Amino acid sequence: MAGFILRRLPLRGVLSAYTAEKAVCVSWNRGLSVKDEGSSDKPGRANASPKIYTRTGDKGFSSTFTGERRPKEDQVFEALGTADELTSAIGLAREFCAEQGHTFVGELDKIQSVLQDVGSNIATPVSSARDSHIKKTRFSEKPVSDLEHWIDKYTDQLPALTNFILPSGGKSSATLHLARAVCRRAERSVAPIVRAGEADPSVAKYLNRLSDYLFTLARFAAMKEGKEEMVYRRTVEE
């Protein structure tokens, strides 16, 4: 993982994204210029856009926000990659939902931003973090409360669930179910990191609530679009 060249950024934290393989971790230090290891010092490049490739991961190692070099198959990078898959799946669902004019699209936008904060926390193992790292990447309970509020809001409008349902109910609903399944995997990948005390417990809690939210939202989208949800029926005769 290598930081891009960032100049006078007004943001702070860590952006952990791009792809599951690269899991790019960019330090967003207020007012700090961070030089990419693979960038050039040649004249005329001062204002040029940074290259997307850095060559620093070619030997199978990447860096955490705290500066540790770890193998790319490390639990931290596995969790970061899965979180990236999750926000990409939500992005796909968001586009289908936007086409249908769903009013909850803004919530999905906010969730994608929160998932960057989730990645920031994961990319900052407590065992190697300084106080300044922890302060920038701390993850609070507020996003968890937001999800619970939204879940209750939509559940109150839905008919009672009396059967197991299959991912279905139109493109919006089906892609939200897909995002839910990826979210479950993200939660499983984060669980051992949280148990080891290397990430905030609120991160695991957020992913747990997010999968519930995506399930509820998938049902709500199907209802609003008038699409039928497929019900599980046993296919093997007794």
Side-chain angles (χ1 to χ4, degrees):
M1 261 189 212
F4 292 162
I5 303 172
L6 303 176
R7 289 184 171 81
R8 310 303 301 175
L9 285 178
L11 302 174
R12 61 182 179 178
V14 176
L15 169 62
S16 49
Y18 187 42
T19 67
E21 192 171 346
K22 290 188 74 71
V24 175
C25 176
V26 181
S27 61
W28 281 354
N29 295 309
R30 188 182 297 276
L32 177 65
S33 297
V34 181
K35 182 178 178 181
D36 173 23
E37 297 173 51
S39 62
S40 171
D41 289 326
K42 293 180 180 179
R45 287 193 55 83
N47 297 317
S49 298
K51 291 184 177 181
I52 196 65
Y53 60 89
T54 65
R55 302 189 179 100
T56 59
D58 290 353
K59 294 183 179 180
F61 288 83
S62 288
S63 298
T64 66
F65 181 50
T66 60
E68 282 186 276
R69 295 291 289 176
R70 296 188 178 194
K72 289 195 175 188
E73 66 271 21
D74 186 90
Q75 283 183 329
V76 166
F77 301 131
E78 182 64 32
L80 285 172
T82 309
D84 187 33
E85 289 181 57
L86 173 56
T87 194
S88 297
I90 290 175
L92 175 62
R94 180 216 181 276
E95 294 305 308
F96 284 120
C97 294
E99 287 178 0
Q100 295 296 323
H102 287 297
T103 57
F104 55 71
V105 167
E107 294 171 6
L108 296 177
D109 293 339
K110 183 175 181 179
I111 286 167
Q112 286 186 291
S113 292
V114 172
L115 285 173
Q116 299 303 315
D117 297 332
V118 165
S120 300
N121 190 265
I122 296 168
T124 311
V126 173
S127 60
S128 60
R130 298 191 298 272
D131 288 343
S132 58
H133 291 135
I134 293 174
K135 182 178 180 181
K136 288 173 183 174
T137 62
R138 184 176 291 116
F139 192 82
S140 75
E141 290 271 348
K142 176 62 168 60
V144 178
S145 298
D146 289 341
L147 288 176
E148 291 176 344
H149 171 70
W150 294 336
I151 291 169
D152 292 342
K153 176 178 67 174
Y154 297 124
T155 299
D156 288 344
Q157 301 176 60
L158 287 167
L161 189 62
T162 57
N163 295 288
F164 288 109
I165 60 170
L166 305 177
S168 55
K171 293 178 181 178
S172 299
S173 178
T175 50
L176 286 166
H177 276 296
L178 175 62
R180 170 191 57 77
V182 177
C183 188
R184 288 294 193 195
R185 180 154 52 88
E187 182 186 3
R188 293 193 298 273
S189 69
V190 164
I193 299 173
V194 171
R195 280 199 302 270
E198 293 283 63
D200 287 345
S202 295
V203 166
K205 195 179 296 186
Y206 182 79
L207 292 171
N208 180 273
R209 297 300 189 282
L210 180 55
S211 62
D212 291 337
Y213 167 83
L214 292 169
F215 176 79
T216 304
L217 199 64
R219 296 192 63 221
F220 183 78
M223 182 188 73
K224 297 298 281 187
E225 293 178 21
K227 300 292 178 60
E228 183 180 358
E229 295 176 290
M230 294 177 60
V231 175
Y232 161 74
R233 301 186 191 285
R234 185 172 174 80
T235 58
V236 179
E237 296 293 337
E238 296 291 346

